[in-house]
Amino acid sequence: MLQADAPSPHDDDTAQAAPGAGRPLPLAGIRVLDVTQVMAGPVCTMLLGDLGADVVKIEPPGTGDQTRSAMGFRMKGDDSMGFLNMNRNKRSVALNLKNESGRAVFLEMVKTADIVVENYRPGVMRKLGIDYETLSRINPRLVYASISGFGQTGPWAQRPGFDLMAQAMSGVMSVTGHPGGPPVKAGVPVADIGCALFATYAILAAYIGCEKTGRGQFIDASLFDSALAFSIWDISEYWGKGTIPEPLGTANRMSAPYQAVRAADGYFVMGATNQKLWVQLCTELDRKDLLDDPRFATISDRLAHRVALIEELEKSFATRTAEDWVATLLARGIPAGRMNTYPEAFESEHGMFREMRIDIPHPVEGTIPNIGFPVKLRGTPQAVRRPPPLLGQHTHEVLAERGLSDDAIATLAAEGAFAP
């Protein structure tokens, strides 16, 4: 079995204060072992890293995280832009968990870890001997999060799970698109990102609980459950009325008008979601006839006659451009917005002010764009302390921090700990 000098917990270089903040980032000193690939797991651990945690990404030697080679186009190096956008503030250790020496290294790392996040198919970690039951005996304070398609238990638990399957099987796709149209998935990976967010909040809650009790716990997070959690309006309609929800395009189940509407040169979005806004809208459009129309008297009436309502509104909106209408409605206090592409949103005056694109240095790519921090901490602002790592870039560094000599690391390498 691997033997190493016992370092003091969290004695590495990752407890830096955020630049200019004068105090450490909230999760500084917390050590995370990231045994995940693709999206939900890596996004979860990146969020922890952005908040100051020391995230060590454990990757299969040779190939690494599958997302390194994804997307179908090449950068200067081997890593895709998708990988580069989900793995900042991490260090990479290439470790063969199927190899006895590789597992021994991992078990040694667990002794001083606070959190393990993994997204292997249920049962794989147990076969490898690194499941929660095993690791919690080594480190009772360990918070261990398993991310999977359908959860660790249940009739579908052993199915391979990706965002597409979770969207379809959770019902998300049943309400996405337009009435009578073919199946449409949400344009963004709501199950993956939702699961990353839910797992992150559970991990932080469990860590806080451990600080009080001295005991960690197991977290079972799934894409399926996370996608279902977004169904609040839709399932409420079913539970309340018995009506199976159907796609509504850009419309909403709770109020009307609240959707995309056509102007003279294209679409924009607007919402008159209460009676006061509805009256203001009709006044601005000079459409007293709509106020007098019994089909549109109340929100319930407008919902019941949504198609006719939008047809009437678009007769007025067709007289001017979308940009003009957005400005006019906003001046009236009526929510409205233009239909941006992603480049337009990131490059907008507001997107740039909010720093939702950040440019960071990278050892191979030079400078790379990254999605900015979606929430801002004013007391301890997040920072990119590390660019997305190269595969195995920090293997020697991380093991040396844990007391292994160069000779010991060389012996492990000869035993296949770092080889495919």
Side-chain angles (χ1 to χ4, degrees), residues 80-409:
S80 73
M81 183 56 73
F83 176 87
L84 298 175
N85 256 297
M86 295 186 286
N87 289 282
R88 65 185 175 223
N89 287 328
K90 302 179 185 181
R91 297 190 285 174
S92 172
V93 170
L95 197 60
N96 186 349
L97 295 177
K98 297 178 181 180
N99 175 275
E100 183 177 352
S101 295
R103 285 195 300 276
V105 171
F106 182 76
L107 293 172
E108 197 65 37
M109 296 172 72
V110 166
K111 293 179 180 179
T112 55
D114 298 289
I115 298 162
V116 169
V117 186
E118 62 89 10
N119 67 347
Y120 281 81
R121 192 179 297 190
V124 170
M125 295 294 272
R126 177 168 294 175
K127 290 179 181 178
L128 292 173
I130 49 177
D131 56 313
Y132 173 69
E133 286 72 18
T134 301
L135 301 189
S136 62
R137 289 194 289 270
I138 297 172
N139 180 354
R141 297 179 60 87
L142 189 68
V143 173
Y144 187 113
S146 288
I147 294 174
S148 62
F150 297 97
Q152 299 300 303
T153 58
W156 297 346
Q158 289 302 315
R159 293 191 182 195
F162 294 100
D163 180 85
L164 178 66
M165 289 73 203
Q167 286 199 34
M169 299 176 71
S170 67
V172 168
M173 286 176 63
S174 75
V175 297
T176 307
H178 291 273
V184 177
K185 77 175 185 68
V188 294
V190 293
D192 270 325
I193 300 300
C195 190
L197 295 173
F198 289 133
T200 300
Y201 105 84
I203 288 167
L204 295 177
Y207 181 80
I208 293 169
C210 179
E211 290 295 283
K212 297 176 180 178
T213 66
R215 295 290 301 183
Q217 61 179 294
F218 180 81
I219 295 166
D220 179 357
S222 84
L223 274 63
F224 176 77
D225 295 359
S226 298
L228 272 174
F230 287 113
S231 70
I232 294 171
W233 293 138
D234 306 283
I235 198 61
S236 294
E237 180 179 58
Y238 175 69
W239 286 339
K241 294 171 53 180
T243 303
I244 296 176
E246 296 180 349
L248 296 176
T250 62
N252 180 267
R253 301 187 190 283
M254 303 304 295
S255 189
Y258 182 78
Q259 64 183 83
V261 290
R262 185 189 292 274
D265 61 344
Y267 286 91
F268 69 100
V269 294
M270 55 78 59
T273 55
N274 58 44
Q275 201 65 18
K276 178 182 177 181
L277 291 175
W278 169 243
V279 173
Q280 288 177 331
L281 175 65
C282 293
T283 302
E284 181 60 42
L285 298 179
D286 195 21
R287 293 293 303 271
K288 184 177 182 300
D289 61 304
L290 298 181
L291 288 176
D292 295 336
D293 193 322
R295 296 177 299 170
F296 311 137
T298 67
I299 290 176
S300 296
D301 294 327
R302 293 193 287 277
L303 283 168
H305 300 95
R306 182 191 294 111
V307 174
L309 170 67
I310 300 305
E311 288 176 353
E312 289 295 332
L313 290 176
E314 288 185 340
K315 291 176 183 178
S316 298
F317 290 140
T319 62
R320 289 155 60 182
T321 66
E323 203 71 41
D324 191 10
W325 279 117
V326 169
T328 298
L329 296 181
L330 288 176
R332 272 276 188 176
I334 300 171
R338 61 171 293 169
M339 304 280 289
N340 283 331
T341 63
Y342 274 129
E344 288 171 336
F346 276 97
E347 295 164 15
S348 68
E349 181 182 25
H350 191 73
M352 290 189 292
F353 181 87
R354 297 293 294 176
E355 298 182 321
M356 284 310 297
R357 168 181 165 151
I358 54 178
D359 293 302
I360 61 178
H362 187 270
V364 173
E365 304 295 339
T367 299
I368 57 171
N370 253 213
I371 298 171
F373 304 110
V375 293
K376 280 72 173 172
L377 278 67
R378 291 187 178 180
T380 55
Q382 303 98 311
V384 179
R385 310 183 313 282
R386 297 179 181 274
L390 304 177
L391 176 58
Q393 178 181 350
H394 304 97
T395 302
H396 193 284
E397 172 184 304
V398 169
L399 297 188
E401 287 173 1
R402 282 147 181 79
L404 292 177
S405 67
D406 290 347
D407 287 345
I409 295 172

